[in-house]
Amino acid sequence: RKQLDALNDQVAELSEKLDQRAVAQATQTVQPIDTNSCPPPAPMTLNDKLVLGQTEWLWIEAVNRVYEARVDTGATTSSISAIDITPFEKDGKNWVRFRLAPDDGDDSFIVEAPLVRYVKIRQASADTLDKRPVASLTVRLGKMTEVAEFTLNDRTQMTYPILLGREFLRDVAVVDVAKDNVQPKPEIVQNQPQAPSVSKTKKK
């Protein structure tokens, strides 16, 4: 009988200690996580392809600047906002000079790039075909750097100065239209000068 009573006392004492520990753990203050110390998320990929949202940041080597681009799987070719477009010859090859005009403000940036070809675009509001030059530009999206072709046309009245079409996306990216800016914003190249701003009202 004495042994049974002693065993019951030990069980009761152990149960009391467990209850006290549980209360102590429940009342502990939870320390907040320092999100600034967390590493940035890795670029999202799917089957070795970049996952893009309906908008993404794009670095343009010719001006060493970053602009937000609209991703449009319904467009065949990509396009970039350009005014004062002038074809010329350089070292026996076709080039084009234009002003990259990112918005309807007064700033623009002079760009010279190889002229690849001309394309005919049918406007939704007109029956005639619009002939536009296509320039070759080096760009970076996330960690991917590509030489891509862009149709030159005035997009200053549009929300985004750059449109990325299917030719740019083919074999390298998939699009999730429910998201925006999935890939990290590219940095400007520090040891490379940025193209100076030129007023649209100034003559070349």
Side-chain angles (χ1 to χ4, degrees), residues 94-108:
N94 294 323
W95 279 61
V96 62
R97 180 184 299 109
F98 62 93
R99 297 192 187 205
L100 194 163
D103 52 41
D104 59 359
D106 197 37
D107 289 337
S108 64

Side-chain angles (χ1 to χ4, degrees), residues 107-119:
D107 289 337
S108 64
F109 306 90
I110 296 177
V111 175
E112 293 185 351
L115 175 60
V116 180
R117 64 180 187 279
Y118 285 89
V119 293

Side-chain angles (χ1 to χ4, degrees), residues 73-92:
T73 57
T76 303
T77 59
S78 301
S79 64
I80 191 168
S81 185
I83 59 174
D84 296 339
I85 302 168
T86 305
F88 68 100
E89 190 173 292
K90 180 178 180 180
D91 298 329

